Amino acid sequence: MENPSSAVEVLVHGANTLFLLMGAVMVLAMHAGFAFLEVGTVRLKNQVNALSKIIADFAVSTLAYFFIGYWVAYGVTFMHPADQLVVENGYSLVKFFFLLTFAAAIPAIISGGIAERARFGPQLCATLLIVAFVYPFFEGLMWNGNFGLQAWLQTRFGAPFHDFAGSVVVHGMGGWLALGAVTLLGRRNGRYRDGRVVAFAPSNIPFLALGSWILIVGWFGFNVMSAQTLEGVSGLVAINSLMAMVGGTAAAWVIGRNDPGFLHNGPLAGLVAVCAGSDVMHPVGALVTGVMAGALFVWTFTAAQNKWKIDDVLGVWPLHGLCGVWGGLACGIFGQQAAGGLGGVSLFSQLVGSALGVLIALAGGLLVYGLLKGSVGIRLSQEDEFNGADLSIHRIGALSND
C-alpha cells in the first residue's frame, strides 16, 4: 500500500500547482483588459497599434523574464534538464508563469501612457530592459529579501515592507516608469493649444468598458492567488478587493460627474490601492482605501492633463503610480490592529519601501527611455503621428474601409 503521507504530499503539490496555474491564467487574461482599455481610449487611427503593443510586449517580457529577470529577482534559472523542473508537479514552473504575468503588466501599463506617438521597435527594446533588469531588481528587494533591505526594515521598524499583491512593486513601478517615458516622449501634436488642453475623445466607450471589466475580474486572481498556495488563500483578500473596487467606482462616479472614462477607471484605482494590504486590512479599511484611490485618480488625472500639461493618455501615472503609492501607505495605516486590521505592518517601513519604489522606477524610466531617445529615437515623426500609428507602423486600420 502506498505511504499515506506520500500520497497526501503529492495531492497537496498538485493542488497548489493547479491553484497557481489558475491564477496565472486569470492574470494573463488581464492583458486583454489592458489592450481593450487602451483601444477604447485612444483615437481610432491608433487602435491596431494598441492591440499590437500589448501582445508583442508580452512576448518580449516572457523572454526577458525567463532568461534574465527571474534570475535577477530570485536567483533561479531554468537551464536544467526537464526531469529536474517537474519536481513537485512543476510548481516552480507555474510560479514563474504567475510572476511573469505580473512582470509583463509593467510594459502594459507604460503602453497606455505613451500611446499614439511612440515608435514600436524602441518600445519593445524598453520592455526588454525594464523586465530583464529594472523591475526584477526592485521585485527581488521586496519579495525575495535581496540585499538585506527587508531584514533591516524588520530590525529598524519592527516589520518589513508589506506588499501582498503589488500596489508598489507592480503598479507603482509601472506608473512611475511611465512618467519617465511620457516626460521624455513629449506631448501629442495638437494636444495643447494656447496653453489649453484640446479634447481627444475616446474612440470606443464599449471597448473601454470591456477592458475595465476584464481587468476587474482578473484582478481577483491577481490578488487572491498571490497567496501562491491553497493553504495561504484567504477570503479576506477577496472581500477587501471587492470593497476597494466598489469604493473606487463610487468615488470616481461622484467626483467624475458621470464621466464614463472616470467611472470605468475608478474601480481599477481602488484595486491598485488595495493590493498591498488586501491580506491584512479590515473590509471597511479596504473600502476607505478604494474611495480615496478613486478620488485621487480623478483629481490627479485632471490636474496632470490641464495644469501640469502631462500628456499621459490613459492616466497611468495617476492610476498606477500615485494610487499604487497610496496603497503602500494605506497598508501601513489600515493594516494596523488599531484600525481593525491584522497587524504586523509598520507605517515607517511602508513609507521607506514606497519611496524607494518611486525612486527606482522614475530613475529607471528616465535612464531606459533616455538612452533609447538619444540612440535610436522613441517618437514617431510628425507625419506618421498625424496619419496614426495604425497606418504608419502596421499598414492597416482598425476598420476594413480604413
Side-chain angles (χ1 to χ4, degrees):
M1 180 179 177
E2 185 179 358
N3 188 328
S5 63
S6 177
V8 170
E9 186 176 340
V10 170
L11 181 62
V12 168
H13 290 321
N16 285 335
T17 301
L18 179 60
F19 171 74
L20 199 55
L21 176 61
M22 291 172 61
V25 172
M26 288 182 72
V27 185
L28 174 62
M30 290 177 70
H31 289 265
F34 284 121
F36 279 99
L37 189 71
E38 184 172 338
V39 166
T41 304
V42 299
R43 290 169 290 179
L44 181 62
K45 62 183 180 180
N46 297 296
Q47 288 186 334
V48 172
N49 181 245
L51 292 169
S52 300
K53 279 190 299 177
I54 298 299
I55 194 165
D57 274 335
F58 190 88
V60 172
S61 295
T62 300
L63 296 174
Y65 200 62
F66 183 85
F67 289 106
I68 304 173
Y70 199 65
W71 174 79
V72 171
Y74 299 101
V76 174
T77 176
F78 297 108
M79 297 298 103
H80 305 294
D83 61 353
Q84 296 180 27
L85 301 179
V86 296
V87 174
E88 296 183 352
N89 300 88
Y91 178 83
S92 63
L93 297 174
V94 174
K95 181 178 178 180
F96 159 79
F97 183 11
F98 182 69
L99 292 173
L100 160 68
T101 58
F102 282 49
I106 301 294
I109 290 167
I110 296 170
S111 175
I114 63 175
E116 300 200 322
R117 76 275 203 201
R119 293 177 59 201
F120 196 63
Q123 168 55 20
L124 295 180
C125 291
T127 294
L128 176 65
L129 294 172
I130 288 168
V131 178
F133 301 106
V134 181
Y135 168 72
F137 173 74
F138 187 65
E139 178 189 19
L141 281 179
M142 297 309 180
W143 282 351
N144 196 48
N146 294 354
F147 301 107
L149 175 63
Q150 289 284 46
W152 179 80
L153 290 173
Q154 172 78 54
T155 302
R156 183 69 178 81
F157 301 117
F161 176 71
H162 187 92
D163 192 352
F164 180 70
S167 286
V168 178
V169 174
V170 178
H171 298 285
M173 284 289 290
W176 286 91
L177 278 160
L179 179 61
V182 167
T183 302
L184 290 171
L185 196 61
R187 306 162 186 164
R188 288 170 288 176
N189 291 318
R191 180 58 169 162
Y192 296 94
R193 187 177 302 149
D194 299 326
R196 301 183 67 179
V197 65
V198 176
F200 287 176
S203 61
N204 194 309
I205 296 298
F207 274 167
L208 187 159
L210 175 63
S212 176
W213 272 109
I214 293 172
L215 286 166
I216 289 168
V217 173
W219 222 297
F220 286 86
F222 196 102
N223 283 4
V224 174
M225 291 168 177
S226 285
Q228 300 188 20
T229 63
L230 278 172
E231 182 182 6
V233 71
S234 171
L236 181 65
V237 177
I239 293 302
N240 283 344
S241 300
L242 177 68
M243 297 302 286
M245 185 269 285
V246 298
T249 304
W253 161 48
V254 173
I255 300 173
R257 300 180 180 181
N258 301 323
D259 182 286
F262 287 141
L263 181 57
H264 286 92
N265 276 283
L268 308 183
L271 286 163
V272 164
V274 82
C275 285
S278 56
D279 63 326
V280 294
M281 291 180 180
H282 187 278
V284 174
L287 176 63
V288 175
T289 297
V291 169
M292 292 297 294
L296 179 65
F297 171 70
V298 174
W299 289 331
T300 54
F301 177 85
T302 303
Q305 298 290 332
N306 296 314
K307 294 182 180 179
W308 306 328
K309 305 295 189 296
I310 300 173
D311 191 12
D312 177 353
V313 180
L314 268 67
V316 297
W317 173 57
L319 180 64
H320 297 273
L322 295 178
C323 290
V325 170
W326 159 238
L329 301 181
C331 174
I333 298 170
F334 298 110
Q336 303 283 349
Q337 288 184 330
L342 296 181
V345 295
S346 163
L347 180 57
F348 292 106
S349 292
Q350 298 305 114
L351 283 166
V352 172
S354 299
L356 186 59
V358 170
L359 179 63
I360 292 173
L362 188 56
L366 292 172
L367 177 62
V368 168
Y369 284 93
L371 288 172
L372 290 170
K373 182 177 181 178
S375 56
V376 298
I378 57 177
R379 181 160 182 158
L380 292 173
S381 68
Q382 187 169 352
E383 180 181 359
D384 285 346
E385 184 180 339
F386 176 81
N387 291 330
D390 292 358
L391 296 179
S392 299
I393 298 174
H394 308 285
R395 303 292 186 263
I396 190 170
L399 304 178
S400 58
N401 59 350
D402 281 2

